[in-house]
């Protein structure tokens, strides 16, 4: 089994080097505001596919998000097998360190209908939604993705930013919910408990990632984070503000809450399932809880950008990773939620303990309580982020 620290390279960086404040800046500079050439259309920005004559593919991903050989990390077993079987040479680059930072790398090319030199890039839901909104992503051919059609989890189908499952295919997923340290806190079941219980006062943290914290609060108020109004958002934000003003919440964090939770310096928090898996390797007293009102589901998605010249090769790779046996090998290494039906049975052959872990293979009851945050247009993205940042003091 791999080191239990790889999770920190990705979800924490969502709110790390650039974070939510930078989101406001980048959202305003190019993603909207009528910048000439920013918005593209399928008809106006045509891409040529050279896959038939060029058996190659450029794949940009996050660090340590691909299975590697434990003795030689330059070897990537599932990717190496794909290259061997398909004859497609893959240039694999770990150059996605932060969603906003990566947006900055590619925005000028994509805004100008120019190549980025990449055929697949892996980005988180909200950034995928932004790029789709800007018309920067190519539609995939479903006929070339039979494994995706057959095996994509129902909870990850028909998302608001990709209603026909043709633009963003989940690479791996995770949950935002509640966590607590049973050494210093009694069981917690609801968001309201976290925000009001006297024994937790000053010992609580929440996430500085707006979509996860606010999604959970919207659910706790009985609203759907996949489809809500501004008034409902404001009601949930007022609930959060009360918890801040009463000093129930100590601070807002990326996943730097994890060491404090492990030590018992904080008793409970809003946190990510991947962190709890990692902490649970060391201490079974660290518990992840799906709140009674529901949990937030996020994904990092495979996207084929405009002007990528090897779309059919990319589709072949995407389809390959939706083979349950391949997906299980990947999940055994990265320990995120596997988005592929049938992979759990394959995982039992590799590691029965991981196959039984509900944070890698959630059961239907857990998934039925999960929601993906609503895709926002540029105006509401800026408005909601500004309100949220004001409350959390960023």
């Amino acid at each position: 089994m791999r080191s239990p620290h790889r999770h920190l390279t990705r979800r924490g960086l969502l709110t790390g080097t650039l974070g939510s404040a930078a989101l406001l800046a980048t959202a305003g500079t190019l993603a909207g505001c009528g910048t000439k050439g920013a918005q593209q259309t399928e008809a106006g920005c045509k891409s040529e596919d050279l896959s038939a004559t060029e058996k190659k593919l450029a794949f940009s991903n996050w660090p340590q998000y691909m299975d590697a050989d434990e003795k030689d990390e330059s070897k990537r077993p599932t990717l190496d097998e794909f290259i061997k079987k398909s004859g497609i040479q893959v240039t694999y680059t770990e150059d996605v360190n932060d969603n906003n930072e990566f947006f900055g790398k590619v925005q000028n090319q994509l805004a100008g209908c120019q190549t980025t030199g990449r055929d697949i890039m892996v980005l988180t839901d909200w950034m995928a939604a932004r790029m789709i909104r800007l018309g920067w992503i190519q539609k995939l051919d479903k006929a070339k993705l039979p494994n995706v059609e057959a095996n994509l989890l129902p909870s990850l189908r028909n998302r608001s930013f990709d209603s026909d499952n043709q633009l963003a295919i989940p690479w791996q997923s995770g949950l935002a919910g509640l966590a607590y340290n049973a050494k210093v806190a009694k069981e917690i079941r609801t968001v309201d408990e976290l925000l009001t219980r006297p024994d937790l006062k000053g010992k609580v943290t929440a996430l500085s990632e707006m979509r996860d914290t606010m999604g959970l609060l919207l659910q706790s108020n009985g609203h759907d984070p996949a489809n809500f109004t501004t008034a409902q958002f404001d009601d949930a934000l007022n609930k959060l503000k009360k918890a801040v003003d009463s000093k129930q919440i100590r601070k807002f964090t990326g996943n730097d809450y994890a060491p404090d939770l492990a030590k018992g310096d904080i008793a409970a928090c809003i946190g990510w399932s991947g962190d709890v898996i990692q902490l649970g390797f060391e201490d079974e007293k660290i518990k992840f809880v799906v709140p009674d009102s529901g949990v937030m589901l996020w994904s990092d998605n495979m996207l084929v950008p405009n002007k990528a010249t090897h779309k059919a090769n990319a589709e072949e790779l995407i389809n390959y990773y939706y083979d349950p046996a391949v997906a299980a090998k990947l999940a055994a290494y990265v320990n995120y939620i596997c988005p592929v039906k049938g992979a759990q049975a394959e995982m039992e052959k590799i590691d029965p303990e991981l196959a039984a872990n509900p944070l890698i293979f959630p059961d239907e009851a857990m998934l039925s309580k999960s929601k993906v945050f609503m895709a926002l247009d540029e105006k509401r993205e800026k408005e909601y982020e500004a309100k949220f940042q004001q409350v959390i003091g960023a």
Side-chain angles (χ1 to χ4, degrees):
M1 184 171 293
R2 292 285 302 145
S3 160
H5 301 296
R6 60 195 171 277
H7 179 81
L8 306 184
T9 60
R10 184 168 34 267
R11 196 62 183 168
L13 283 169
L14 276 175
T15 48
T17 54
L18 293 177
S20 296
L23 172 61
L24 299 179
T26 54
T29 55
L30 181 67
C33 299
T35 303
K36 186 177 180 181
Q39 188 80 35
Q40 295 293 344
T41 65
E42 191 173 2
C45 185
K46 293 184 180 295
S47 303
E48 183 182 7
D49 191 357
L50 304 177
S51 296
T53 56
E54 295 184 358
K55 291 296 183 182
K56 60 183 183 179
L57 172 66
F59 186 174
S60 282
N61 206 346
W62 298 79
Q64 299 185 354
Y65 218 8
M66 177 69 74
D67 56 302
D69 187 284
E70 297 207 359
K71 295 179 180 177
D72 181 356
E73 293 204 356
S74 67
K75 295 180 179 179
R76 302 181 175 96
T78 60
L79 189 60
D80 293 344
E81 184 64 19
F82 171 77
I83 293 169
K84 181 180 176 181
K85 283 184 173 181
S86 68
I88 297 169
Q89 294 303 307
V90 180
T91 301
Y92 184 77
T93 309
E94 295 180 334
D95 63 343
V96 187
N97 291 301
D98 176 276
N99 284 284
N100 281 312
E101 179 185 57
F102 189 81
F103 183 87
K105 287 181 185 179
V106 300
Q107 63 179 3
N108 289 337
Q109 294 99 311
L110 291 173
C113 188
Q114 298 169 357
T115 181
T116 65
R118 299 166 174 89
D119 298 299
I120 297 178
M121 51 193 191
V122 177
L123 297 170
T124 307
D125 291 327
W126 58 269
M127 183 56 75
R130 184 196 292 180
M131 289 197 172
I132 290 167
R133 188 175 74 221
L134 288 165
W136 291 356
I137 304 302
Q138 294 189 51
K139 281 187 179 178
L140 302 174
D141 182 352
K142 285 189 173 186
K144 295 180 179 177
L145 302 171
N147 288 341
V148 177
E149 285 291 284
N151 299 326
L152 176 62
L153 289 178
S155 56
L156 293 170
R157 294 178 185 267
N158 307 316
R159 294 172 295 172
S160 58
F161 58 87
D162 184 21
S163 59
D164 200 32
N165 311 308
Q166 275 191 287
L167 294 158
I169 306 301
W171 173 251
Q172 299 289 289
S173 296
L175 300 172
L178 306 181
Y180 69 98
N181 186 330
K183 290 178 181 175
V184 295
K186 296 181 295 184
E187 182 183 22
I188 184 168
R189 294 300 322 167
T190 70
V191 172
D192 286 351
E193 278 185 81
L194 184 80
L195 299 183
T196 62
R197 222 168 71 185
D199 62 307
L200 299 176
K201 186 171 183 177
K203 302 174 184 176
V204 168
T205 62
L207 293 170
S208 53
E209 169 54 44
M210 179 195 74
R211 288 159 178 80
D212 291 330
T213 291
M214 291 304 298
L216 289 170
L217 266 74
L218 281 160
Q219 286 176 313
S220 75
N221 279 350
H223 300 309
D224 183 355
N227 184 20
F228 60 88
T229 66
T230 296
Q232 290 169 346
F233 181 89
D234 290 344
D235 283 346
L237 194 63
N238 286 335
K239 177 187 280 191
L240 184 67
K241 186 175 187 300
K242 288 178 183 177
V244 172
D245 291 345
S246 70
K247 303 194 184 314
Q248 179 81 2
I249 296 176
R250 180 188 296 184
K251 61 181 178 179
F252 291 82
T253 72
N255 59 5
D256 48 329
Y257 67 85
D260 290 338
L261 182 64
K263 290 185 290 187
D265 290 347
I266 62 170
C269 63
I270 294 175
W272 290 305
S273 57
D275 288 330
V276 179
I277 292 177
Q278 308 298 348
L279 295 176
F281 289 148
E282 305 296 329
D283 185 353
E284 62 181 13
K285 294 290 187 180
I286 309 298
K287 308 287 187 182
F288 184 82
V289 176
V290 175
D292 291 345
S293 52
V295 70
M296 295 305 296
L297 178 66
W298 56 265
S299 298
D300 292 328
N301 304 275
M302 294 178 279
L303 310 164
V304 176
N306 286 349
K307 291 297 181 179
T309 53
H310 306 102
K311 183 168 83 79
N313 293 343
E315 289 164 340
E316 190 168 344
L317 182 139
I318 292 168
N319 193 62
Y320 167 80
Y321 275 100
Y322 270 71
D323 179 312
V326 175
K329 292 174 185 175
L330 178 64
Y333 181 91
V334 300
N335 293 169
Y336 281 84
I337 289 179
C338 179
V340 180
K341 285 192 301 183
Q344 187 171 17
E346 294 294 332
M347 180 71 86
E348 289 172 357
K349 304 171 187 176
I350 301 170
D351 188 329
E353 186 178 348
L354 288 179
N357 191 321
L359 300 184
I360 299 175
F361 296 103
D363 60 23
E364 288 302 317
M366 183 182 289
L367 287 174
S368 70
K369 298 177 73 174
S370 69
K371 291 286 186 177
V372 176
F373 199 87
M374 180 172 72
L376 302 176
D377 60 28
E378 186 256 345
K379 179 182 177 182
R380 283 191 294 179
E381 184 174 60
K382 290 174 67 179
E383 176 190 347
Y384 292 167
E385 279 284 356
K387 289 178 178 180
F388 181 70
Q389 293 297 316
Q390 185 174 18
V391 168
I392 73 173

